[in-house]
Each structure stands twice: as structure tokens, then as C-alpha cells.
Amino acid sequence: MPFSLDPRLAADTLFAAQFRLCEVRVMNDARYPWIVAIPRVPGAVELFNLSPQDGQQAWAEIQALGRLVGDLPNVGKVNIGALGNMVRQLHIHIVGRLEGDPAWPGPVWGHSPTQPYGPDEAVALIEQVAALARSF
């Protein structure tokens, strides 16, 4: 079975880059620097569904993406999570948070309606992710 992206992930995110294991996308919500890493492993729902080698690769990519988000301006904390309650396909959220952001201190999921990026607003974050993928 080939890898295919869940339609909801495709609809809610913007493509940024292909890493060795993960397709990396930016959540289309301008309130938070929010990256989603989707391991290209057909049928994977949980992190423990990955082979040991893929698990190590996923973690290396998640750590690098976490550092990228953590180094962005106005990020005081990075939240990393793989919930999968709404979308079963394994995907890992890497979210930059700042005390006082719209959802602080609670989770960003379901807090309020998203605020999609305007034209070209997500370009800088997408370019940073793509540059990281090239150097990874």
C-alpha cells in the first residue's frame, strides 16, 4: 500500500518539504508557528507502529524541527504531540507557543477558529523548513 496523505491534513496544512522519512507541512493557522511532520509509512497510526530505524529517523527529524520552531521569534515554549483523535494517520505536531498567545496555557487544538495565512505570509516559515530539509 503506497503512502497517501489524509485529506484533512492536506486541507488544513501547506506543503513545506520532504525529509528523509516525513512529509513536513505548515498548519494553516497564522496565530502559531505550527509544523506537522507526517511519516511516509503506509498504515502508521502510532509512533510505535514505526520500525526501530524509522522511529529513530522520525525522532531526529522532529528534534530538528523543534529546534527550528524554538529558535523563531516570539516562541517561549515548543509543544510536540501526536494525538490522532481526529485524524488517525500518524502525524506529529510541533507548535511554537508564547505565554499569552490566544490559547495559553491550554492546548491549541479546538481553542477557536483558525486564522489562515494571507497570501505569502507562510512563505518565510516554509522556506526555513525547506532549507532545514536540504541540510538534514
Side-chain angles (χ1 to χ4, degrees), residues 33-35 64-72 75 78 94-96 125:
W34 186 344
I35 295 171
L65 291 163
R67 282 190 293 277
L68 183 150
V69 170
D71 288 342
L72 293 172
V75 172
V78 177
I94 301 113
V95 186
L125 182 55

Side-chain angles (χ1 to χ4, degrees), residues 95-119:
V95 186
R97 302 295 307 272
L98 183 64
E99 191 169 337
D101 72 32
W104 189 267
V108 294
W109 295 276
H111 173 265
S112 58
T114 62
Q115 294 180 5
Y117 285 101

Side-chain angles (χ1 to χ4, degrees), residues 17-24 37-40 58 61-62 92:
Q18 294 283 4
F19 280 63
R20 189 177 312 155
L21 179 69
C22 294
E23 178 167 316
V24 179
I38 306 109
R40 292 186 312 275
E61 293 174 13
I62 292 162
I92 300 91

Side-chain angles (χ1 to χ4, degrees), residues 1 3 7 17 21-22 34 40 45 49 56-57 63 72-73 123-125:
M1 167 172 52
F3 171 80
L21 179 69
C22 294
W34 186 344
R40 292 186 312 275
V45 174
N49 294 144
Q56 289 177 342
Q57 183 63 37
Q63 285 183 307
L72 293 172
V123 169
L125 182 55

